């Protein structure tokens, strides 16, 4: 029987053999994984637990919160606040940063997360997930929102957990992308794939087509050309897949290639896009890049954007390199 590599062992080896991560970061990632297991349990209960439906409240983005959005947020905070590895956390579901309370020791890391991505899919039993990103707090006393405003290139760990037919944790600490599947009987994440690669070419795209009339010209051009298939300039037929949970759409792309687009559109012209830079786009961009793919906002590499606020939004084009290169090029052509 092939030997089973547990998440703990993978992380210990990243720390010991590869020297990629300090012990505190290893422990922090283990706690995040443990929180994801608890969220996975809550998700699995569905209508049998008190986890479905709306929480009748709004988050800072003006979006209605689901009960599971709030549960997942609380699980992540409770699990991470006491370990001594973190200085503060930030979440899609909280307006400001959450500073680790004085009663616990403060560590040097900053953790950001979208506790439950794909909220609109919760009640219909479609894959959802948790996305997270870890930064190092800049030197200096105390911790403030300003400390979080670092470009994605500064991430020291990033990943997501997708709650689908399987619960899968996908992680990078800058040494490629590793995939762990939750063994429910054992309660452990087991390494099931290492060094994931995104094919450079693809025939699959993911976009919310219902927004077509609101897109900018380069996006319309790119998608029109895909839709023309064999008869058009692309000379091949494309397929479309859209789950509506970024975490599931990006997971498919990491697994078999494709391109994910959530562009700026005219519905909210003052916002750079729908998705959030710091806890959605940045961690996903790093994973995609680590797997040999590419991620831009149409003009520049997402990970090089210096954020100006915690909940900053961004246009997103990510996945198979040649497709992202193409749609990015269209943004600079007249
Ligand atoms: P959420 O974090 O509130 O769930 O919102 C993000 C989600 C993404 O997972 C998904 O790609 C997108 O919103 C879908 O939005 P829409 O259905 O409005 O196009
Ligand atoms: Mg989200």
């Amino acid at each position: 029987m092939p030997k089973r590599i547990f998440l703990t062992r993978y992380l210990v080896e990243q720390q010991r053999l590869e020297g990629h991560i300090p012990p505190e970061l290893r422990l922090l990632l283990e706690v995040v994984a443990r929180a994801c297991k608890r969220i996975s349990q809550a998700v699995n209960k569905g209508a049998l637990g008190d986890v479905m439906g709306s929480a009748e409240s709004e988050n800072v983005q003006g979006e209605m919160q689901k009960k599971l959005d709030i549960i997942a947020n609380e699980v992540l905070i409770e699990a991470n606040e006491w370990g001594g590895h973190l200085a503060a956390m930030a979440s899609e579901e909280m307006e400001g940063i959450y500073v680790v309370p004085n009663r616990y020791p403060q560590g040097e890391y900053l953790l950001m997360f979208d506790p439950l991505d794909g909220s609109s899919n919760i009640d219909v039993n479609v894959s959802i997930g948790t996305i997270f990103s870890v930064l190092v707090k800049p030197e200096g006393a105390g911790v403030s929102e300003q400390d979080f405003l670092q470009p994605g290139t500064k991430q020291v760990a990033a990943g997501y957990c997708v709650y689908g037919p399987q619960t899968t944790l996908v992680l990078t600490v800058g040494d490629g992308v590793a995939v762990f599947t939750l063994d429910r009987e054992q309660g452990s994440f087991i390494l099931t794939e290492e060094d994931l690669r995104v094919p450079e070419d693809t025939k699959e795209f993911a976009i919310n087509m219902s927004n077509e009339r609101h897109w900018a010209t380069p996006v319309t051009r790119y998608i029109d050309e895909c839709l023309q298939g064999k008869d058009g300039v692309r000379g091949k037929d494309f397929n479309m897949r859209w789950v509506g949970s970024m975490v599931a759409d990006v997971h498919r792309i990491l697994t078999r290639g494709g391109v994910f687009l959530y562009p700026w559109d005219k519905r909210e012209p003052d916002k750079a896009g729908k998705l959030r830079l710091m806890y959605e786009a940045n961690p996903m961009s790093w994973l995609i890049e680590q797997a040999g793919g590419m991620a831009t906002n149409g003009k520049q590499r997402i990970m090089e954007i210096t954020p100006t606020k915690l909940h900053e939004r961004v246009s997103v084009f990510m996945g198979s390199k040649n497709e992202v290169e193409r749609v990015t090029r269209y943004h600079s052509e007249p």
Side-chain angles (χ1 to χ4, degrees):
M1 204 176 112
K3 77 176 176 225
R4 282 157 72 91
I5 299 186
F6 291 74
L7 174 68
T8 303
R9 174 164 172 188
Y10 174 85
L11 291 173
V12 166
E13 287 178 355
Q14 284 290 326
Q15 176 198 326
R16 200 169 53 200
L17 305 179
E18 316 283 347
H20 279 126
I21 51 170
E24 296 75 23
L25 180 55
R26 167 171 73 79
L27 293 167
L28 162 57
L29 292 172
E30 294 221 36
V31 177
V32 171
R34 211 174 302 140
C36 289
K37 276 190 246 176
R38 281 182 56 197
I39 298 170
S40 172
Q41 279 167 358
V43 169
N44 289 161
K45 283 209 172 84
L48 301 177
D50 185 21
V51 299
M52 307 281 273
S54 168
E56 305 297 340
S57 53
E58 256 187 22
N59 68 10
V60 57
Q61 341 268 342
E63 299 159 342
M64 284 307 287
Q65 290 176 305
K66 295 287 180 79
K67 283 184 191 160
L68 260 179
D69 285 321
I70 294 176
I71 294 169
N73 195 56
E74 282 170 1
V75 166
L76 280 156
I77 288 180
E78 275 171 30
N80 282 287
E81 67 179 350
W82 50 268
H85 319 300
L86 283 175
M89 294 178 247
S91 160
E92 178 179 324
E93 303 304 335
M94 301 187 295
E95 184 162 5
I97 65 168
Y98 180 91
V99 179
V100 167
N102 285 337
R103 59 183 181 278
Y104 303 120
Q106 278 210 355
E108 60 166 332
Y109 292 104
L110 304 173
L111 175 66
M112 284 171 293
F113 43 83
D114 176 355
L116 210 85
D117 178 62
S119 309
S120 67
N121 281 327
I122 293 173
D123 295 337
V124 291
N125 198 5
V126 170
S127 297
I128 48 184
T130 298
I131 312 174
F132 61 91
S133 164
V134 185
L135 295 166
V136 176
K137 185 182 93 68
E139 303 260 314
V143 55
S144 68
E145 185 169 321
Q146 187 62 33
D147 293 333
F148 282 81
L149 305 182
Q150 307 178 40
T153 49
K154 298 279 189 193
Q155 293 171 104
V156 290
Y160 63 81
C161 189
V162 54
Y163 314 114
Q166 303 110 43
T167 289
T168 310
L169 179 73
V170 179
L171 179 71
T172 186
V173 290
D175 181 34
V177 178
V179 181
F180 303 84
T181 304
L182 181 63
D183 180 331
R184 288 187 199 284
E185 280 84 58
Q186 219 162 25
S188 310
F189 280 110
I190 312 290
L191 182 66
T192 42
E193 210 165 336
E194 223 174 344
D195 208 13
L196 216 61
R197 304 305 292 167
V198 179
E200 290 192 354
D201 289 298
T202 182
K203 291 179 170 181
E204 214 161 68
F205 65 88
I207 192 166
N208 185 342
M209 284 294 298
S210 66
N211 296 326
E212 183 172 11
R213 69 190 188 283
H214 307 297
W215 296 338
T217 321
V219 180
T220 313
R221 174 184 170 193
Y222 175 78
I223 296 295
D224 277 353
E225 289 178 359
C226 291
L227 295 176
Q228 284 158 22
K230 268 199 188 113
D231 308 328
V233 287
R234 300 303 309 271
K236 60 180 182 182
D237 289 334
F238 278 78
N239 192 12
M240 193 194 91
R241 284 285 181 272
W242 178 253
V243 179
S245 299
M246 183 195 204
V247 84
D249 282 308
V250 171
H251 187 65
R252 183 188 59 254
I253 289 167
L254 274 168
T255 309
R256 69 171 188 214
V259 55
F260 174 90
L261 308 92
Y262 214 116
W264 168 91
D265 69 45
K266 290 176 207 141
R267 286 173 302 168
E268 291 188 290
D270 300 338
K271 292 188 180 149
K274 169 172 180 177
L275 298 177
R276 277 61 46 133
L277 173 62
M278 302 202 58
Y279 41 80
E280 292 179 322
N282 270 339
M284 292 310 208
S285 296
W286 198 23
L287 290 162
I288 289 278
E289 286 195 10
Q290 281 287 310
M294 189 172 168
T296 77
N297 67 353
K299 297 195 175 78
Q300 68 176 124
R301 193 176 163 214
I302 287 176
M303 291 215 296
E304 285 175 2
I305 300 172
T306 301
T308 55
K309 54 182 187 214
L310 207 51
H311 300 289
E312 183 159 330
R313 292 170 189 254
V314 67
S315 226
V316 173
F317 304 91
M318 62 170 65
S320 292
K321 192 162 172 278
N322 292 336
E323 293 303 311
V324 178
E325 241 163 43
R326 176 182 285 266
V327 66
T328 304
R329 189 176 75 238
Y330 288 2
H331 281 79
S332 62
E333 287 177 7

